Amino acid sequence: MSLIEVRGVTKSFASGSETVTPLQALDLTVAQGEFVCLMGPSGSGKTTLLHLLAGIDRPTAGTVHVAGVEVSALSANELARWRTRSVGYVFQQYNLIPVLTAYENVEVPLLLLRMAAADRRRRVATALAAVGLTDRAHHLPRQLSGGQQQRVAIARAIVADPAAVFADEPTGNLDRVAAAATVELLRRLVREFGKTLVMVTHDPITAQAADRVVHLDKGRIVAEPSHA
Ligand SMILES: Nc1ncnc2c1ncn2[C@@H]1O[C@H](COP(=O)(O)OP(=O)(O)O)[C@@H](O)[C@H]1O
Ligand SMILES: [Mg+2]
């Protein structure tokens, strides 16, 4: 069964007097429980595509379905709610709130949902345990290593139990050891928790963890990696 269906998606931006089209008539299907790695040169449209999958932005043409929902057709209000429940997003720069503890950062998405306090506490504790950071719950981001901060960000991405997780160069700021641990953790989300994962990376070793590698070049999916 497919979890993600992208059909005929084009994305254009007005840039001064010109139009930039980072994605052109793109089709992509990702199965439920699949781990797909997106690779391609800088500027090939990887981040733009992840934004469309996660409902952070809308396609200019075409449709995006995730778990049966036509994301590209939701209103702004519906999108905000859908994103909180249905997708987790992991950034290269972690994007933690610096004045909040690890626990509080992970709790943030749940504050947007109607949920009893006891249920919220249980879910945050479960997510922190899943990334192995129970003993760092009350640390601030600056008191954590880069790898630990990224694990907090992953806990935040899964705390609402979304079907899909999107990660944009999640190991880009990490050393080799922390990067390997992060990828192993992301793989576990797929294998043990049944998440569907789309991850952008530049690193061929990191990409080996995926079930499938999709290569983008100039806004299109290509069979062979570009060496440009
Ligand atoms: N909001 C935007 N406005 C104008 N151009 C954009 C915008 N977002 C992305 N682009 C352009 O789209 C192209 C693809 O960008 P991006 O998806 O970030 O590439 P990648 O993540 O593969 O490096 C680039 O040329 C970029 O400048
Ligand atoms: Mg990018």
Side-chain angles (χ1 to χ4, degrees), residues 6-196:
V6 176
R7 292 292 172 265
V9 159
T10 294
K11 178 66 183 175
S12 299
F13 296 103
S15 176
S17 58
E18 292 179 19
T19 303
V20 188
T21 303
L23 296 177
Q24 315 222 23
L26 194 119
D27 295 315
L28 176 67
T29 301
V30 180
Q32 164 116 46
E34 192 178 18
F35 178 178
V36 169
C37 196
L38 262 185
M39 299 188 81
S42 181
S44 57
K46 305 181 297 295
T47 295
T48 302
L49 177 55
L50 275 199
H51 284 173
L52 299 184
L53 297 181
I56 294 170
D57 205 350
R58 289 164 193 284
T60 308
T63 58
V64 175
H65 284 83
V66 177
V69 173
E70 187 180 348
V71 182
S72 43
L74 298 179
S75 70
N77 276 343
E78 290 170 332
L79 259 185
R81 202 171 169 69
W82 175 81
R83 269 203 308 269
T84 306
R85 285 197 179 281
S86 307
V87 306
Y89 207 95
V90 179
F91 303 87
Q92 179 174 349
Q93 315 283 357
Y94 330 128
N95 288 14
L96 300 176
I97 300 173
V99 296
L100 299 184
T101 64
Y103 182 98
E104 291 163 342
N105 268 284
V106 174
E107 189 180 32
V108 166
L110 300 184
L111 298 175
L112 303 173
L113 302 174
R114 205 169 302 195
M115 186 177 288
D119 194 15
R120 210 162 60 224
R121 278 196 295 276
R122 192 171 43 74
R123 281 178 182 244
V124 175
T126 302
L128 281 171
V131 302
L133 285 180
T134 301
D135 60 344
R136 296 289 188 277
H138 302 296
H139 286 58
L140 292 168
R142 65 176 157 78
Q143 297 169 321
L144 299 170
S145 71
Q148 289 170 335
Q149 289 184 62
Q150 194 57 299
R151 278 151 62 198
V152 173
I154 291 168
R156 178 180 58 185
I158 60 170
V159 74
D161 200 20
V165 176
F166 304 114
D168 198 348
E169 304 194 40
T171 63
N173 279 18
L174 302 176
D175 64 38
R176 181 55 65 213
V177 173
T182 300
V183 172
E184 183 49 36
L185 173 59
L186 289 169
R187 241 168 84 94
R188 267 187 48 223
L189 299 183
V190 176
R191 298 284 174 271
E192 287 176 31
F193 300 99
K195 302 298 176 202
T196 301

